Amino acid sequence: MTTFVLVHGAWQGGWCWKRVAAVLRRAGHEVFTPTLTGLGERAHLFDEKIDLDTHIQDVLGVIYCEELSDIILCGHSYGGVVITGVADKVPDQIHSLVYLDALVPANGQSALDLLPTKIATGLRKSAQGEGGSRVPPGSAEAFGVSIENQTWVDRRCVDHPFRSFEQPVSLKDNWKLIHRYIYIYATGWSPGIGKPFFKCFHEEKSWRVFSLPCGHDVMIDMPKDLAKILISLI
């Protein structure tokens, strides 16, 4: 049995991993899908003070309280920044790091630093509420989600705390001590935030790279294919 911890991206929650988690559990694995503070079923906890450190602590809390080790830790999109921060603090408890069409930061970089300028500018302009603390979700269609899943995704997405996008991650590069690194690029989404990372890591011997013909939300539109890749890492 292998332990998977799957971390969602912006605007979503642990719910987005439902289909992938089901496949992994049927295969006999242990799966945790934490929801970051202020999102998903924890949207009622939204506060303008929520930042990247809050979300890193959310995942660390699951690892500590569930006493997890030898983890395959996967982060989607913004979740890539979160899992890097987590892995830097507990590298000995993580077997593999998986970035699912995700942002991969260096020390001192924020999600806004890593996104294409047009997208980062749009997030800043769309921030609402007191002090510009909330960023409303974009449509599922804009993220390349399949037509049959768009209504479900739009219904579940909520405002995201802006401070978590702008706070730089603080790393000591302990995360680079982890056994394996994997990048999965979703090729069917035109903004292609994963493309530069995929191209970079394709040349790195320490990384394994995959691509799937899918919009940004691979775990929703291609759960079986994603689960197959994750299981192959065991």
Side-chain angles (χ1 to χ4, degrees):
M1 180 182 72
T2 298
T3 299
F4 292 89
V5 177
L6 311 177
V7 180
H8 64 86
W11 303 292
Q12 297 186 345
W15 57 266
C16 72
W17 297 104
K18 181 178 181 179
R19 297 168 180 173
V20 175
V23 177
L24 295 175
R25 287 170 180 145
R26 283 197 297 269
H29 304 295
E30 190 172 32
V31 185
F32 295 85
T33 59
T35 291
L36 305 176
T37 303
L39 298 160
E41 75 276 12
R42 305 181 70 203
H44 63 290
L45 299 176
F46 190 97
D47 186 282
E48 63 179 23
K49 296 179 182 179
I50 295 170
D51 57 15
L52 175 61
D53 285 341
T54 308
H55 290 164
I56 290 171
Q57 190 57 51
D58 287 333
V59 181
L60 287 171
V62 173
I63 293 172
Y64 291 145
C65 292
E66 298 289 348
E67 299 183 339
L68 306 181
S69 61
D70 204 28
I71 303 161
I72 294 180
L73 178 61
C74 177
H76 174 244
S77 195
Y78 158 76
V81 185
V82 177
I83 67 167
T84 306
V86 170
D88 201 62
K89 294 184 181 299
V90 290
D92 293 343
Q93 288 160 264
I94 297 168
H95 179 273
S96 300
L97 271 180
V98 183
Y99 293 85
L100 177 59
D101 214 35
L103 304 174
V104 186
N107 180 48
Q109 289 185 312
S110 69
L112 292 177
D113 293 330
L114 296 164
L115 288 167
T117 302
K118 185 177 180 180
I119 294 177
T121 300
L123 292 176
R124 289 188 177 95
K125 288 182 177 179
S126 64
Q128 300 173 350
E130 185 177 349
S133 61
R134 292 176 176 268
V135 180
S139 69
E141 180 182 12
F143 287 97
V145 175
S146 62
I147 293 174
E148 59 267 30
N149 288 318
Q150 288 176 10
T151 300
W152 176 48
V153 173
D154 285 334
R155 186 169 68 242
R156 293 269 59 87
C157 286
V158 298
D159 291 353
H160 189 94
F162 181 70
R163 287 186 67 177
S164 70
F165 287 143
E166 67 176 354
Q167 183 187 15
V169 66
S170 179
L171 303 172
K172 297 181 179 179
D173 282 349
N174 294 325
W175 71 282
K176 294 182 179 179
L177 302 174
I178 290 168
H179 180 64
R180 259 191 318 201
Y181 312 93
I182 296 89
Y183 199 90
I184 305 171
Y185 170 41
T187 63
W189 183 46
S190 59
I193 67 169
K195 187 174 183 179
F197 299 107
F198 176 77
K199 290 178 66 176
C200 175
F201 299 138
H202 196 275
E203 306 299 325
E204 295 281 345
K205 292 183 179 180
S206 58
W207 285 76
R208 291 180 64 187
V209 296
F210 301 84
S211 61
L212 288 170
C214 188
H216 190 47
D217 290 357
V218 181
M219 64 286 181
I220 290 170
D221 281 332
M222 298 186 70
K224 292 181 180 179
D225 298 86
L226 176 56
K228 184 178 180 179
I229 291 174
L230 293 174
I231 291 172
S232 76
L233 304 176
I234 296 171

